[in-house]
Amino acid sequence: MAATISRGVRAPIIREGDDIVQITVDSVLVACKEDGFELGDKDVVCVTESVVARAAKNYCSTDDIAADVKAKLGGETVGIVFPIFSRNRFAICLRGIARGAKKVVVQMGYPSDEVGNHLVTEDQIDDSGVNPYSDVLTADEFHAKFGDIKHEFTGVDYLDYYKELIEDEGAEAEVILANRPEAILKFTKNVLVCDTHSRDRNARRIKKAGGETVLTMADIMNASVNGSGYNSKYGLLGSNKATESTVKLFPENAQEVAEAISNKLSEITGKQIEAMVYGDGAFKDPVGKIWELADPVVSPGYTKGLTGLPNELKLKYLADNDFADLSGEELQAAVKKAISEKESDLKGNMASQGTTPRQITDLIGSLCDLTSGSGDKGTPIIVVQNYFKNYSM
């Protein structure tokens, strides 16, 4: 009767230079032995991007960021557009950016950043008379309108925090609030677009409106600076604070690691084992309104068997419509037959309505992120079993 199982697997504390592939393989095999389960065909072994990057020593310093920003954006006034409000994700990057400029103008979106960290609520905006589609506010004007704007969970006023952080690095700081990316051009034509998922569109808009040097976070630390780590595709996107002066970057070797784990476990077990490296899940907290997905993708590396979207029939639709006159074993048999004979592409089929049209890697990665958590569970490895089995199997 057991179907999909998501199992957290403990591992040693991963250090720089460790063989993450061998550690993952060994940890999974020990878990199999201790907990009395076996790996089967199409089971998925997943490892969090954090330990993959740590093992590969994929770090850079605030000095490295400063050097890259100065070389690419000129070292004078730099506009920062749509940063997320995060001490872990963005603040340490901002230190490096400020160190590579004489002045930094930070343009924040409101009422929240792109991942749902709110400065104020939508209701407060509605009651304020502010037009979020057009109004550009200074930090003082925003405070005068809304008063105390400390983040609900962190207790931080990000307008003040980012301004002070920039000034601590010796640069002049100015904070504005505007939702039109082009607003930054009143202050500078050298712009770093800092949001994650709409960065390319916002960069295009700024360039079209007259921006001269317009980069995204993917363009910073996309190559090694003075021997540092880097990510050639995502740059600073997906990075996290490591220390007060260093950043752990998104793993550059995720695809290589996923394929190596798959190959080793498949050889040992005689089964076809899939593997992936996962980061943030793609889901929203309905209470705090925060989207989890601050990484550029859920999975930066995965084996080919995880490519694509689910192709599923909705069981309740079949039970309530096609087989409404059946019950018991007869109903079960009819449903199983329908699933086993389903078309290879159910797009547009009413019997598939309500199923989740998301990438398999996003679904499994989100399951892994929820299983491993982000605290002290100590399970950077997740084994997902029976994910590809359906009611007919």
Side-chain angles (χ1 to χ4, degrees):
M1 296 293 287
T4 299
I5 299 167
S6 179
R7 178 184 276 109
V9 175
R10 287 181 176 163
I13 303 300
I14 308 300
R15 291 295 192 186
E16 294 182 32
D18 285 348
D19 186 339
I20 191 62
V21 172
Q22 194 61 53
I23 288 173
T24 301
V25 169
D26 291 344
S27 298
V28 169
L29 294 177
V30 169
C32 288
K33 183 177 180 180
E34 287 186 353
D35 291 355
F37 68 96
E38 296 181 357
L39 295 178
D41 284 325
K42 296 291 287 183
D43 284 351
V44 190
V45 172
C46 313
V47 58
T48 180
E49 60 84 20
S50 177
V51 296
V52 173
R54 186 184 305 151
K57 306 178 185 179
N58 203 27
Y59 292 81
C60 70
S61 70
T62 48
D63 283 338
D64 297 328
I65 296 171
D68 210 22
V69 167
K70 186 173 183 179
K72 292 175 177 176
L73 287 160
E76 297 294 327
T77 300
V78 174
I80 301 298
V81 176
F82 300 152
I84 64 172
F85 311 142
S86 171
R87 295 167 297 174
N88 174 48
R89 286 284 189 172
F90 187 74
I92 189 70
C93 295
L94 183 56
R95 284 194 179 279
I97 294 166
R99 198 172 295 177
K102 291 181 180 179
K103 179 177 180 179
V104 178
V105 181
V106 180
Q107 178 179 330
M108 296 181 171
Y110 67 95
S112 73
D113 66 9
E114 71 165 331
V115 294
N117 292 297
H118 278 72
L119 297 173
V120 294
T121 67
E122 284 85 356
D123 288 342
Q124 286 176 289
I125 294 292
D126 291 342
D127 295 340
S128 70
V130 170
N131 184 342
Y133 299 102
S134 61
D135 288 355
V136 179
L137 304 174
T138 67
D140 287 343
E141 289 171 338
F142 200 81
H143 279 123
K145 283 278 187 183
F146 299 106
D148 184 7
I149 56 168
K150 291 182 179 178
H151 190 280
E152 178 182 5
F153 298 131
T154 66
V156 172
D157 180 328
Y158 281 95
L159 278 68
D160 291 343
Y161 177 53
Y162 282 179
K163 183 174 185 293
E164 292 167 4
L165 188 153
I166 293 165
E167 292 172 341
D168 286 345
E169 295 299 327
E172 183 182 350
E174 186 169 359
V175 176
I176 64 169
L177 296 105
N179 290 322
R180 292 177 61 256
E182 302 90 341
I184 195 67
L185 295 175
K186 180 180 177 181
F187 303 88
T188 178
K189 296 185 183 300
N190 299 320
V191 181
L192 182 61
V193 178
C194 295
D195 58 335
T196 301
H197 304 295
S198 53
R199 62 188 183 275
D200 292 331
R201 176 174 180 263
N202 287 326
R204 285 196 303 270
R205 288 179 60 174
I206 294 169
K207 287 179 182 177
K208 186 176 181 180
E212 294 177 357
T213 303
V214 183
L215 305 178
T216 74
M217 291 277 276
D219 298 312
I220 305 299
M221 300 311 303
N222 59 352
S224 181
V225 175
N226 300 321
S228 72
Y230 65 95
N231 188 289
S232 58
K233 186 173 184 179
Y234 298 117
L236 281 175
L237 294 174
S239 63
N240 292 84
K241 177 181 178 180
T243 70
E244 292 301 324
S245 61
T246 57
V247 169
K248 179 201 66 61
L249 298 166
F250 219 39
E252 174 72 8
N253 61 334
Q255 186 63 33
E256 173 188 332
V257 167
E259 291 177 357
I261 291 170
S262 171
N263 290 338
K264 282 200 171 189
L265 282 173
S266 296
E267 182 179 353
I268 291 169
T269 63
K271 307 293 184 180
Q272 178 54 49
I273 307 301
E274 305 292 346
M276 66 182 292
V277 175
Y278 69 94
D280 277 349
F283 48 82
K284 182 178 181 178
D285 173 5
V287 177
K289 311 300 183 185
I290 295 173
W291 289 97
E292 179 67 10
L293 187 55
D295 287 331
V297 290
V298 173
S299 176
Y302 52 89
T303 49
K304 62 182 180 181
L306 302 178
T307 302
L309 289 79
N311 186 56
E312 300 175 336
L313 294 171
K314 196 77 168 179
L315 292 191
K316 65 182 182 181
Y317 182 91
L318 294 176
D320 292 343
N321 292 272
D322 294 29
F323 309 122
D325 58 333
L326 303 179
S327 62
E329 293 183 1
E330 191 177 10
L331 173 59
Q332 291 183 16
V335 169
K336 288 181 179 180
K337 184 174 185 294
I339 293 172
S340 64
E341 296 177 352
K342 67 185 177 183
E343 299 172 6
S344 59
D345 185 357
L346 292 168
K347 186 182 294 184
N349 189 319
M350 288 298 290
S352 69
Q353 64 178 330
T355 57
T356 308
R358 290 170 58 189
Q359 297 290 334
I360 290 170
T361 50
D362 292 348
L363 293 164
I364 295 178
S366 298
L367 175 61
C368 291
D369 192 25
L370 287 166
T371 303
S372 62
S374 57
D376 56 10
K377 286 186 172 62
T379 56
I381 302 163
I382 307 296
V383 176
V384 178
Q385 296 187 281
N386 305 328
Y387 189 84
F388 294 97
K389 291 184 177 180
N390 60 42
Y391 191 67
S392 70
M393 297 176 179

